[in-house]
Amino acid sequence: MKIDRGTLRGFGGVLTALLIIGAIHQFRPSISSAPDFPCTTTAGPAVAIDVSSGETGSEIALDLANAGVIKSSQSFFRLAVADARAERIAPGTHRIDTGICAKKALEQLLDSSRISNLLVIQEGAWISEIKRSLIDIGFSQSEINQGFASLAIPHGYRSLEGLLFPAQYSFDTSTPFSTILKSVVDRGLREVEKAGLSKGDGKFTVEDLLTIASLVQAEGDEKDFAKISQVVRNRVSKGMPLQFDSTIHYIKGSRGSVFLSTQSTYLKSPFNTYRNYGLPPTPINNPGSAAMKAALNPENGPWIFFITVAPGDTRFTDSIEQFNEWKVLYKKNLKAGAFRSSQ
């Protein structure tokens, strides 16, 4: 099936070359007197506006004017030049009201809820969760299964888990799922390279580093990512099991509780970091950029234990005595309901 301008677009692409010199010269004579609808005017019916990755401000302006969204292309281009937010307009098919001022048109273009066929991958999402999102969008289970089965796992990896980069993706309804999946994975590979993971670091392979990133993503807040990364390295180098609860949640496919039963730690799985030493065989989720960078750039320290005693309060130590004291505090806060709002 032929893919046209509106077929497949990743949210991560921004409007490059918004201020192309030729476009600026083209509109400069009329920028100061560009006709515009009053912002108080009642809007007309919405129309579909396709924005391609790399599309210039002048091209978007013409599309808006031709569709009757704005009164003149110059009014939107003038605004796009002056407002830095215009660079964050996501590629995709946007539902935009007609007969509105350029300012409202820009606001609607920045509203992700107006993008059709939007796939949102959250940081730390599992592939199993992403598959459910795809069903909600309208893909069948057979399409999804076939798409994942047919896509070759990139060299150096054993799983696609970790390579579905967290972002927002929109696409035309006629796009085959296999094409969408390949685009998402290609984006993931670019992000891995951008974060500096693609060549490993001498001790860990690229997939090892991505696995560390997934553990970091699952185990803490961004402010603690670099410390958690160091804990992983310290435990691995000392031959200690990681004993990360997040790996058990991954095995069970369960979210929503910080409590982990002792029985769960006996589950037979290569991902169980209570029973097995070293890293899990593959990433346990799809981490974002900050977690990837932390995997490669840990904060130097002796820590081998950490525990979140309350939401937003994660503490690190190399002392088992200190850890056990904090564990008592954690249990006290858990019993008092401190973690309910974060689950």
Side-chain angles (χ1 to χ4, degrees), residues 327-338:
K327 193 171 183 179
V328 171
L329 178 58
Y330 152 74
K331 289 182 177 179
K332 180 182 177 180
N333 289 336
L334 178 65
K335 186 176 181 180

Side-chain angles (χ1 to χ4, degrees), residues 200-214:
D201 70 349
K203 295 180 180 178
F204 298 102
T205 67
V206 58
E207 189 172 46
D208 289 339
L209 290 172
L210 194 57
T211 298
I212 294 174
S214 72

Side-chain angles (χ1 to χ4, degrees), residues 48-128:
I49 300 295
D50 283 345
V51 176
S52 298
S53 180
E55 192 166 7
T56 66
S58 60
E59 291 170 329
I60 296 173
L62 287 170
D63 288 345
L64 293 171
N66 290 337
V69 171
I70 54 177
K71 194 169 187 178
S72 68
S73 57
Q74 296 95 329
S75 65
F76 183 84
F77 184 77
R78 175 180 60 188
L79 180 65
V81 170
D83 194 327
R85 294 181 304 160
E87 297 181 10
R88 300 202 301 268
I89 297 174
T93 302
H94 300 249
R95 293 178 294 102
I96 308 297
D97 296 335
T98 53
I100 58 177
C101 65
K103 181 175 181 292
K104 285 189 175 180
L106 176 58
E107 290 171 351
Q108 291 187 11
L109 284 168
L110 292 170
D111 183 356
S112 62
S113 68
R114 288 178 171 269
I115 303 178
S116 303
N117 305 317
L118 187 66
L119 169 63
V120 180
I121 299 179
Q122 303 287 355
E123 292 183 347
W126 305 323
I127 281 182
S128 60

